Amino acid sequence: MTYEETRRGSEPGSGAPSGSPSGPVRPLWRQRDFGIFWAAQTLSVLGDSFALIALPLLVLQATGSLARMGLLTAVGGAAAVVAAVFAGAVVDRVDRRRLLIACDLVRMALYALVPSVWLLGPQIWLLYLVLPLCEAVGMLFAVGYVTVVRGLVGTEQLTEANGRLNATAAAAGVLGPLCAGLVAAWSGPATAVGVDAGSFGVSAACLAFVRLRGRPAKTAERSGLWRDLRTGIAFLYGHPVLRALTALLFVFSFLTLGLNDLVIYHLKHDLGHDDGTVGTVMAVGALGTITGALLVARVRRRLGFGPTWTGAVAVCGLSFAGLGWARDVPAVAALSAAFLACAGMAGTCSMSLRQEVTPEPLLGRVTAAFWTLQYAAAPVGAAVLTWAAEHHGTAPVGLVAGGCCVLIAVAALCTPIRRSGRRP
């Protein structure tokens, strides 16, 4: 199948992409395979939220440096970008269920190394080895995860399914950071990383019982990995809305990847609070993600893709701008919740649109190309953001970064995103 053939197959009026449901659509809660997949992802995110808090705390505990925290984030992000280059080609060629299970098991083994080695004493170098590998494997998992959702629920329920997956993931994220902060305060951040390792094992066991319908199509010709990436980029470039989204999210990711480190540093260094407070604020912030995920399908149906995405990015910018100026914990938590709610809405909208308009044989490669381009500069942005905050303070850095996010929303009004209506 050529690029032009797959592109024509996704144009309006050409029929629904593969994976569309036939016959009456059953409610999501009655679909067995989606239910098991849903549970697996929730468990995985529950453990992941431990690492989200524990790894930066391990670095801060050992070095006291925000810049070192940002460097760890940057190294992990860079590994994910490199993995994204090849992830789409791999996902489109292999059994996706086995791939997801293998990714979970590899991450379980890697994260289990951290508490094991920490018994002998802090080894910061290990984090700079484990996190990039886990992020690379995680990117492979994430691309595979996106490609299987449409095969599980069909195109008509994509936004609802993505919203529910994000909502329950965020619900796990409420409990996860809170527990991670308490565990870190009680027995150290390394123990929290061990909990993360166990969650991946449970997720892999759940995925073993899922039946996936969306398998990559057999092709007569196997192209090279770089050609596969170019195929995904060509599809993105040929779709006006996806082209604009990719460019704008490139800048947005550059500005916001280091936000988590900035919030942790602001709470501990600027405001003088402990690890338990950090976990509590992250948990409250995750409540925002739940709210956004539960509302996104309804808001998109009412307002359309363009207004929903643009408005969400604008509120993200305003929230980010105020974070550094917030001097008490409730204000930091509220602004974090607002940012995460709108970031979740924008992310769910863009992912659902991409799943809806991309033909099944290209879905892995298009997803990988989209994320490669979106996050290409994000690791550098995280390093720059945290370095600037350490030297100039969190307030002015947050104000500048947040203001730039608002400008991204304004720029979207001058692109085809503004005219993107209720139907993609």
Side-chain angles (χ1 to χ4, degrees):
M1 179 179 290
T2 66
Y3 164 66
E4 287 301 326
E5 290 170 340
T6 53
R7 180 181 174 187
R8 284 195 298 270
S10 69
E11 291 173 348
S14 62
S18 60
S20 295
S22 58
V25 178
R26 287 186 297 165
L28 291 176
W29 62 271
R30 294 185 58 189
Q31 299 182 29
R32 170 192 174 276
D33 291 319
F34 177 75
I36 298 175
F37 183 78
W38 194 356
Q41 296 316 297
T42 303
L43 289 170
S44 181
V45 173
L46 178 63
D48 243 349
S49 62
F50 272 65
L52 180 70
I53 303 298
L55 293 179
L57 286 177
L58 280 172
V59 176
L60 191 61
Q61 182 185 73
T63 67
S65 171
L66 173 62
R68 293 288 296 273
M69 292 169 63
L71 180 61
L72 180 63
T73 301
V75 170
V81 170
V82 173
V85 174
F86 308 103
V90 174
V91 167
D92 282 343
R93 290 174 174 174
V94 302
D95 183 289
R96 290 169 178 169
R97 184 176 68 92
R98 293 180 181 177
L99 175 66
L100 296 180
I101 293 172
C103 288
D104 271 344
L105 294 176
V106 169
R107 286 184 290 178
M108 178 186 70
L110 287 172
Y111 276 126
L113 285 175
V114 175
S116 301
V117 171
W118 239 253
L119 292 174
L120 305 176
Q123 302 291 334
I124 297 298
W125 64 268
L126 180 64
L127 303 182
Y128 289 91
L129 175 65
V130 168
L131 184 62
L133 290 174
C134 286
E135 287 293 308
V137 175
M139 175 58 72
L140 190 62
F141 181 95
V143 174
Y145 159 84
V146 170
T147 62
V148 302
V149 174
R150 186 170 72 183
L152 286 171
V153 303
T155 55
E156 293 299 320
Q157 294 178 296
L158 266 176
T159 301
E160 181 184 0
N162 287 328
R164 293 196 178 192
L165 285 165
N166 291 339
T168 51
V174 171
L175 181 62
L178 179 61
C179 293
L182 295 175
V183 170
W186 174 56
S187 59
T191 304
V193 180
V195 175
D196 184 25
S199 72
F200 285 116
V202 178
S203 175
C206 290
L207 287 170
F209 294 95
V210 176
R211 297 188 301 268
L212 300 180
R213 300 191 299 272
R215 294 195 172 191
K218 299 291 184 181
T219 56
E221 177 185 359
R222 286 204 167 213
S223 57
L225 294 177
W226 288 108
R227 183 176 176 184
D228 286 332
L229 180 64
R230 290 197 301 269
T231 299
I233 293 174
F235 184 87
L236 292 173
Y237 184 80
H239 193 287
V241 177
L242 292 182
R243 181 171 65 240
L245 277 175
T246 305
L248 294 176
L249 285 173
F250 173 88
V251 183
F252 184 81
S253 299
F254 177 88
L255 295 168
T256 60
L257 183 62
L259 175 70
N260 186 61
D261 294 332
L262 202 68
V263 171
I264 293 174
Y265 183 79
H266 183 55
L267 288 168
K268 290 184 66 68
H269 181 269
D270 298 342
L271 304 183
H273 292 283
D274 59 12
D275 293 350
T277 302
V278 172
T280 301
V281 168
M282 294 296 177
V284 173
L287 288 172
T289 307
I290 297 174
T291 303
L294 292 175
L295 292 176
V296 62
R298 182 180 303 174
V299 173
R300 185 186 173 191
R301 281 195 300 268
R302 179 176 294 272
L303 301 180
F305 174 85
T308 302
W309 189 88
T310 304
V313 171
V315 176
C316 282
L318 295 174
S319 303
F320 197 172
L323 272 169
W325 299 94
R327 307 311 301 175
D328 55 78
V329 172
V332 174
L335 290 169
S336 296
F339 179 91
L340 291 172
C342 293
M345 290 183 71
T348 300
C349 278
S350 64
M351 180 170 69
S352 299
L353 175 69
R354 194 173 62 252
Q355 290 168 312
E356 289 162 356
V357 303
T358 305
E360 181 68 31
L362 282 181
L363 190 52
R365 282 166 284 179
V366 171
T367 299
F370 184 85
W371 282 347
T372 299
L373 297 173
Q374 177 182 344
Y375 292 110
V380 177
V384 170
L385 185 79
T386 51
W387 177 89
E390 187 171 62
H391 288 78
H392 302 289
T394 55
V397 171
L399 181 62
V400 171
C404 291
C405 290
V406 174
L407 291 178
I408 291 173
V410 174
L413 298 177
C414 303
T415 72
I417 294 174
R418 180 178 63 87
R419 300 187 299 274
S420 183
R422 297 185 182 181
R423 305 286 301 180

